[in-house]
Amino acid sequence: MRWDHLRLDDGGTGRPDAPLIERRAVARTFDTPGFRGMTFYEVRARTIINRVPDAARVPFRWTINPYRGCSHACTYCFARRTHEYLDLDAGADFDSRIVVKVNAAERVRAELAAPRWRGEPVAMGTNVDCYQRAEGRYRLMPGIITALADAANPFSILTKGTLILRDLPLLADAAARTRVDTAVSVGSPDPELARLAEPGAPAPRRRLEVCAALNEAGVGCSVLMGPIIPYLSDSPAQLDAAVREIAAAGATSVAPIVLHLRPGAREWFLGRLREHHPDLVAPYARLYGSGAYAPARYRREIAARVRELAERHGVGARPGAARPPAGGAAAPGGRPEEPGGPRQLTLM
């Protein structure tokens, strides 16, 4: 199954089905403020460039995910449930028990050189953020970017992390050799909402500063405007403020995505909602019912409103801003609009 590459052989333990967390992964903790309360499980991955299942409705076929779990702690993150495959919970464990594929760069270089590899675009940041806090210590991305650049292999990165600017020289060099697209995820510029919904991530305006810096350096950066959270960031005034700031950051494009609540994320997000906005519990029950998505009509209305605002504020009006990204989507890790509105597929 999809998660088999995250398991190790039994190493003579006689427990071939035990998950890596309980076996030969090296567990580390660091007594520094940024990592206090976190555990990192260092593993050596068998493969690192993963094919997306054909049934997945995404515009890319290949991904690289050097980490599992994410310290950004986004309450709505669809990837939360994947931690259950490791016998960990989708809540606090997902935020604080991070799997690190320490040989990621080595594997990328080897797999790009394999005769069967056809040089297709690779998307990063499609499951958890490759520029989350752990990257500051493990520094996996410089080796990954360098391997992709050396192979002239197109790639895209979606992130909430400001740490991507550390690798700006590498990204600029890669962009001179192959197609490189980046995007930052900013659903709303409201710092209070960000502290509620994504407490471990950099502030929204810092992410927009990243967008501006990448574009200034000639590395095209768009904005995935997601998630737009019903009743908390979807009013006309809130959408206008968000798109205005996205335009000011020089984003090459903007792709709106309404909050969706898959199993794992649904329980975690609604728990926070009950704690901080109990008056919204009933409206959410009416809007989402037992499903993951808000009604298609609502999503279409949001998409149309953001399109109108993007035109009004001049998103993508700078020269060269309209080129499609390497992954073939409206933003790296995103998806072109559908009749039912855009779907949330990446970090959300």
Side-chain angles (χ1 to χ4, degrees):
M1 55 187 294
R2 287 183 65 194
W3 312 107
D4 283 348
H5 67 286
L6 295 182
R7 299 180 180 274
L8 305 175
D9 59 41
D10 67 9
T13 64
R15 300 189 302 138
D17 296 323
L20 65 87
I21 297 302
E22 298 175 1
R23 296 162 67 192
R24 289 194 337 196
V26 176
R28 297 192 191 278
T29 58
F30 304 104
D31 189 23
T32 57
F35 296 107
R36 198 159 290 146
M38 300 183 69
T39 302
F40 300 93
Y41 298 95
E42 299 176 359
V43 301
R44 296 188 64 82
R46 292 177 177 174
T47 60
I48 195 70
I49 303 178
N50 300 310
R51 179 163 182 163
V52 178
D54 292 338
R57 296 175 295 173
V58 294
F60 47 83
R61 296 179 63 200
W62 302 95
T63 64
I64 293 173
N65 292 294
Y67 301 98
R68 303 211 64 91
C70 186
S71 58
H72 287 340
C74 301
T75 56
Y76 48 76
C77 182
F78 86 93
R80 286 186 171 278
R81 199 174 190 186
T82 64
H83 243 42
E84 295 176 0
Y85 291 92
L86 308 178
D87 289 349
L88 298 173
D89 71 57
D93 282 351
F94 181 85
D95 302 338
S96 62
R97 302 178 72 178
I98 311 299
V99 177
V100 183
K101 303 175 188 178
V102 293
N103 64 332
E106 170 191 327
R107 290 306 313 153
V108 170
R109 193 168 289 278
E111 290 168 34
L112 291 176
R116 64 181 178 278
W117 181 248
R118 296 290 180 259
E120 294 185 61
V122 174
M124 291 177 279
T126 61
N127 196 53
V128 301
D129 203 321
C130 48
Y131 282 106
Q132 61 175 286
R133 206 177 308 162
E135 174 61 17
R137 177 168 288 271
Y138 285 97
R139 299 182 61 87
L140 301 181
M141 288 301 292
I144 292 171
I145 293 169
T146 301
L148 288 162
D150 287 349
N153 201 100
F155 65 91
S156 63
I157 299 173
L158 171 64
T159 185
K160 289 185 175 77
T162 56
L163 191 58
I164 190 174
L165 294 183
R166 179 202 65 193
D167 295 339
L168 186 49
L170 293 175
L171 291 167
D173 177 70
R177 306 196 210 181
T178 188
R179 184 61 177 276
V180 176
D181 293 285
T182 63
V184 295
S185 173
V186 183
S188 165
D190 181 354
E192 294 298 323
L193 180 57
R195 277 191 283 271
L196 169 66
E198 43 200 32
R205 286 188 175 90
R206 290 184 64 201
R207 295 177 229 161
L208 291 175
E209 290 170 2
V210 167
C211 177
L214 287 165
N215 281 308
E216 290 282 337
V219 180
C221 184
S222 60
V223 171
L224 185 64
M225 188 176 164
I228 295 170
I229 303 179
Y231 308 114
L232 293 176
S233 66
D234 64 343
S235 74
Q238 289 167 325
L239 294 175
D240 182 80
V243 176
R244 190 185 315 115
E245 293 203 30
I246 289 168
T252 58
S253 64
V254 58
I257 296 180
V258 173
L259 173 75
H260 80 259
L261 298 172
R262 295 186 191 174
R266 182 185 183 94
E267 297 86 343
W268 200 242
F269 176 85
L270 293 180
R272 295 278 283 182
L273 195 72
R274 280 191 294 272
E275 181 181 355
H276 295 276
H277 293 281
D279 55 313
L280 293 182
V281 172
Y284 264 76
R286 290 192 294 270
L287 187 66
Y288 284 88
S290 59
Y293 295 97
R297 179 179 177 181
Y298 172 84
R299 289 183 276 128
R300 284 195 297 267
E301 289 173 353
I302 292 293
R305 195 170 301 156
V306 171
R307 275 198 306 271
E308 177 189 344
L309 290 168
E311 292 176 6
R312 182 189 308 172
H313 293 300
V315 175
R318 295 185 180 184
R323 70 176 191 169
R335 178 175 176 80
E337 274 187 22
E338 299 177 349
R343 295 195 182 276
Q344 187 175 353
L345 294 170
T346 53
L347 297 181
M348 273 53 75

